[in-house]
């Protein structure tokens, strides 16, 4: 037999996901590439590894045994890599981070330099809504989380990365019919909300409640990107974090609607559970951020103060 570690990895991912499409997405490969690797791997066995039933892929009994063997081999290969790096005095292992969805515009820039310095570190980053980020921290599933609102139900340590500003925005052609900045303007505008559990939604609802406004809720969408596209299409207005609007504002596809009390200001914060014992990788990352934060902000977010 002449199978490769890459073929084992592809087959094991298919076994995990029970889907060539999902396996391709998780491996960042095309569907045809995954299908070819599966076929090349299967050709080395006289017994079928998979079968298709009602257009779904299933492992045969033999396939499940091979998947288990593949997992063991891949784990052993990873151990060999780690031992090599450790012998050279390098860090190895996983850095696990959970990020609120809008934080995807922030966190990669605070990770890229660190990852480039440490080839033995594997990054696992989950981008989701605030409630799920807090849940992952509570269950000790991650080293760090990126949030803009501190979870009051947990005792956490925190490191502020940069400001977070939220503005009312409409598309570039929108006319509010009013020159003033009274928050009452929100009563007349169709508003687009994030889903329950979102930090952006929580901040937006607090502003509306503080001003005792009765507003028209037009849509509820499950990602900041979806809200942005809906605003661009003219479906309504939303209070949104500035961090994800750079290109649209500079190109005048979106515009900020001036409202008294806006922007709402919070901070992007890296947090970790107070009782967590940080791994050597997590400690190294924390030191990297403390030393490089100012440089990263200057290099990647110099546009932020224009608005």
């Amino acid at each position: 037999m002449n199978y490769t570690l890459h073929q084992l990895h592809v087959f094991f991912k298919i076994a995990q996901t029970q889907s060539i499409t999902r396996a391709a997405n998780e491996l960042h490969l095309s569907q045809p590439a995954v299908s070819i690797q599966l076929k090349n791997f299967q050709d080395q066995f006289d017994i079928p590894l998979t079968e298709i039933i009602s257009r779904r892929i299933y492992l045969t009994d033999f396939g499940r045994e091979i998947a288990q063997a593949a997992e063991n081999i891949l784990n052993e290969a990873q151990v060999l890599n780690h031992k090599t790096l450790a012998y050279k005095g390098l860090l190895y292992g996983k850095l696990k981070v959970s990020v609120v969805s809008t934080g995807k515009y922030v966190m990669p820039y605070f990770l890229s330099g660190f990852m480039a310095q440490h080839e033995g570190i594997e990054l696992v980053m989950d981008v989701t809504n605030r409630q799920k980020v807090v849940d992952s921290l509570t269950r000790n599933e991650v080293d760090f989380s990126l949030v803009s609102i501190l979870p009051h139900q947990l005792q956490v340590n925190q490191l502020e990365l940069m400001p977070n500003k939220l503005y009312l925005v409409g598309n570039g052609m929108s006319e509010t019919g009013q020159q003033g900045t009274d928050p009452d303007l929100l009563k007349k505008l169709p508003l687009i909300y994030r889903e329950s559990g979102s930090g952006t939604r929580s901040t937006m609802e607090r502003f509306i409640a503080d001003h005792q406004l009765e507003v028209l809720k037009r849509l509820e969408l499950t990602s900041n990107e979806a809200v942005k596209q809906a605003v661009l299409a003219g479906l309504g207005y939303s209070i949104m974090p500035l961090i994800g609007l750079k290109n649209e504002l500079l190109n005048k596809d979106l515009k900020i609607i001036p409202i008294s009390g806006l922007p709402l200001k919070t901070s992007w914060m890296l947090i970790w559970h107070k009782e967590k014992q940080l791994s050597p990788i997590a400690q190294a990352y924390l030191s990297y951020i403390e030393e490089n934060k100012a440089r990263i902000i200057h290099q990647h977010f110099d546009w932020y103060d224009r608005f």
Side-chain angles (χ1 to χ4, degrees):
M1 290 190 181
N2 216 11
Y3 49 76
T4 64
L5 283 176
H6 180 59
Q7 288 172 345
L8 287 170
H9 192 197
V10 169
F11 178 68
F12 180 63
K13 187 59 66 175
I14 292 170
Q16 279 185 315
T17 61
Q18 293 189 300
S19 165
I20 288 177
T21 301
R22 287 198 293 273
N25 288 337
E26 292 190 19
L27 292 167
H28 305 291
L29 298 171
S30 67
Q31 260 184 267
V34 170
S35 296
I36 289 169
Q37 290 300 322
L38 175 61
K39 181 181 184 303
N40 290 342
F41 188 60
Q42 171 66 82
D43 286 348
Q44 299 180 68
F45 300 92
D46 295 330
I47 305 170
L49 301 174
T50 63
E51 54 188 351
I52 305 296
I53 301 174
S54 299
R55 302 178 65 183
R56 289 191 59 186
I57 191 167
Y58 294 89
L59 295 184
T60 63
D61 289 342
F62 181 65
R64 280 191 287 272
E65 291 188 27
I66 297 301
Q68 181 62 61
E71 182 179 17
N72 294 337
I73 293 169
L74 292 168
N75 287 339
E76 288 299 320
Q78 189 174 48
V79 168
L80 288 175
N81 290 335
H82 289 173
K83 285 182 181 295
T84 302
L85 292 167
Y87 189 78
K88 291 160 61 176
L90 302 178
L91 287 171
Y92 68 88
K94 292 183 179 181
L95 177 66
K96 298 179 182 180
V97 183
S98 59
V99 179
V100 294
S101 57
T102 311
K104 66 177 176 285
Y105 301 109
V106 177
M107 199 66 200
Y109 297 101
F110 287 90
L111 284 163
S112 59
F114 180 74
M115 296 301 296
Q117 289 177 10
H118 301 285
E119 64 180 55
I121 294 177
E122 177 185 348
L123 174 65
V124 180
M125 187 169 76
D126 182 33
V127 180
T128 183
N129 70 29
R130 179 177 177 271
Q131 186 55 57
K132 292 180 180 178
V133 165
V134 173
D135 290 344
S136 68
L137 204 64
T138 304
R139 294 192 295 264
N140 195 32
E141 295 173 346
V142 295
D143 298 301
F144 300 105
S145 294
L146 181 72
V147 297
S148 60
I149 302 172
L150 286 175
H152 299 297
Q153 65 270 43
L154 282 179
Q155 289 191 325
V156 297
N157 292 314
Q158 65 190 78
L159 176 63
E160 182 177 336
L161 298 186
M162 60 181 288
N164 180 36
K165 298 187 283 190
L166 294 92
Y167 288 93
L168 177 69
V169 294
N171 75 7
M173 303 298 292
S174 59
E175 295 291 340
T176 62
Q178 183 173 334
Q179 297 302 313
T181 62
D182 193 327
D184 280 352
L185 174 62
L186 290 174
K187 295 179 180 178
K188 304 176 182 179
L189 302 179
L191 295 181
I192 302 172
Y193 280 62
R194 282 287 306 278
E195 80 285 3
S196 295
S198 158
T200 298
R201 174 171 176 154
S202 175
T203 303
M204 179 174 168
E205 287 182 328
R206 191 179 311 117
F207 179 79
I208 291 169
D210 287 347
H211 290 83
Q212 300 180 329
L213 302 174
E214 292 185 10
V215 299
L216 173 63
K217 180 179 174 183
R218 169 66 62 84
L219 284 173
E220 179 178 310
L221 298 170
T222 58
S223 75
N224 192 70
E225 195 64 31
V227 172
K228 182 168 68 176
Q229 294 302 320
V231 174
L232 284 167
L235 288 173
Y237 300 76
S238 193
I239 294 177
M240 300 186 68
L242 173 63
I243 196 69
L245 306 177
K246 175 185 176 182
N247 292 335
E248 291 77 14
L249 289 172
L250 293 178
N251 294 336
K252 302 188 185 308
D253 296 319
L254 291 177
K255 67 180 179 181
I256 292 172
I257 312 297
I259 292 288
S260 178
L262 297 181
L264 300 172
K265 295 182 180 179
T266 60
S267 295
W268 290 109
M269 291 168 286
L270 195 68
I271 64 174
W272 61 102
H273 203 289
K274 268 199 170 177
E275 296 179 359
K276 184 168 185 63
Q277 299 296 312
L278 294 180
S279 68
I281 290 173
Q283 290 173 343
Y285 180 63
L286 207 53
S287 297
Y288 170 84
I289 291 298
E290 290 170 340
E291 293 170 8
N292 292 277
K293 180 175 72 169
R295 176 189 60 79
I296 294 168
I297 292 171
H298 176 73
Q299 183 177 351
H300 297 289
F301 301 101
D302 62 331
W303 61 273
Y304 204 67
D305 290 331
R306 299 186 209 174
F307 300 96

